[in-house]
Amino acid sequence: MSRSLLSAVTVVTLLAMPAAALAGDDAKKEAKGSKCTINVKKGDLVSQGKDLVVDGKSAVRDAVAIDGDVVVRAGATVNDVVAIRGKVTVEAGARVSGDATAINGNVQLQKGATVAGDVTAIGGEVQADEGATIAGDKNQLSININGEELFKKIIGAALSGTLKGDCELRFTEE
């Protein structure tokens, strides 16, 4: 299993396992009011609840969408691209210098798109047109149980707050 797929599966597993389940009753009381935090560094593009488009004139570090799609337009360069409950599209002439990952969505690479790292879809598919370049590994993982995709259910519960506390975005100047 590649490093990025192993990391992604680890993240999904940790999201699926509430902190209270790992400890005793005291931790259960504390975990009720807990919140997960997503740290974002200066130079990153982040959206929650809407699509994120990186235009052709942009050179950004990372692009992350929660409950939305990420589209990397022709001419743009991004380090890493992640969509959680959304799709990643890398258009022809766009470059991802790191990894492209979708959790509960597909990753679509158009002809002429370049990803220098790994391309991973958990709970979705990697769809690479002929002529798209993937320098790293191509990873797909979907598990259907009784006709329902397992990761969509787990991530959906985690982000909606029914599995774990609500998520909030916190911006840092690192």
Side-chain angles (χ1 to χ4, degrees):
M1 186 179 292
S2 74
R3 187 186 89 240
S4 67
L5 182 58
L6 183 60
S7 298
V9 170
T10 302
V11 168
V12 170
T13 303
L14 290 174
L15 284 173
M17 191 180 322
L22 296 174
D25 290 335
D26 293 337
K28 286 182 183 178
K29 291 175 187 172
E30 290 177 25
K32 266 188 176 178
S34 67
K35 291 186 180 273
C36 64
T37 302
I38 299 169
N39 292 313
V40 181
K41 296 180 180 177
K42 192 173 185 176
D44 293 344
L45 294 178
V46 179
S47 71
Q48 186 171 16
K50 61 182 181 177
D51 294 344
L52 177 63
V53 177
V54 182
D55 68 34
K57 298 176 182 84
S58 297
V60 301
R61 288 182 19 171
D62 298 329
V64 180
I66 301 169
D67 290 326
D69 298 340
V70 179
V71 178
V72 182
R73 299 256 188 241
T77 300
V78 179
N79 185 31
D80 292 315
V81 179
V82 179
I84 301 173
R85 292 199 312 192
K87 178 171 96 174
V88 171
T89 302
V90 182
E91 294 183 346
R95 176 176 171 73
V96 177
S97 59
D99 301 327
T101 305
I103 300 174
N104 288 355
N106 298 330
V107 178
Q108 170 68 49
L109 305 178
Q110 296 178 354
K111 180 180 180 177
T114 301
V115 177
D118 298 334
V119 178
T120 304
I122 297 177
E125 297 179 354
V126 174
Q127 303 161 336
D129 293 348
E130 189 174 325
T133 302
I134 301 172
D137 295 328
K138 177 181 167 183
N139 307 298
Q140 293 183 163
L141 180 60
S142 289
I143 299 173
N144 287 299
I145 299 175
N146 296 328
E148 188 172 12
E149 214 297 316
L150 177 67
F151 295 111
K152 288 184 182 185
K153 186 173 185 174
I154 290 171
I155 297 297
L159 290 177
S160 69
T162 58
L163 183 63
K164 193 173 177 180
D166 295 325
C167 289
E168 63 184 35
L169 295 179
R170 183 175 74 191
F171 295 90
T172 61
E173 294 293 325
E174 296 176 14

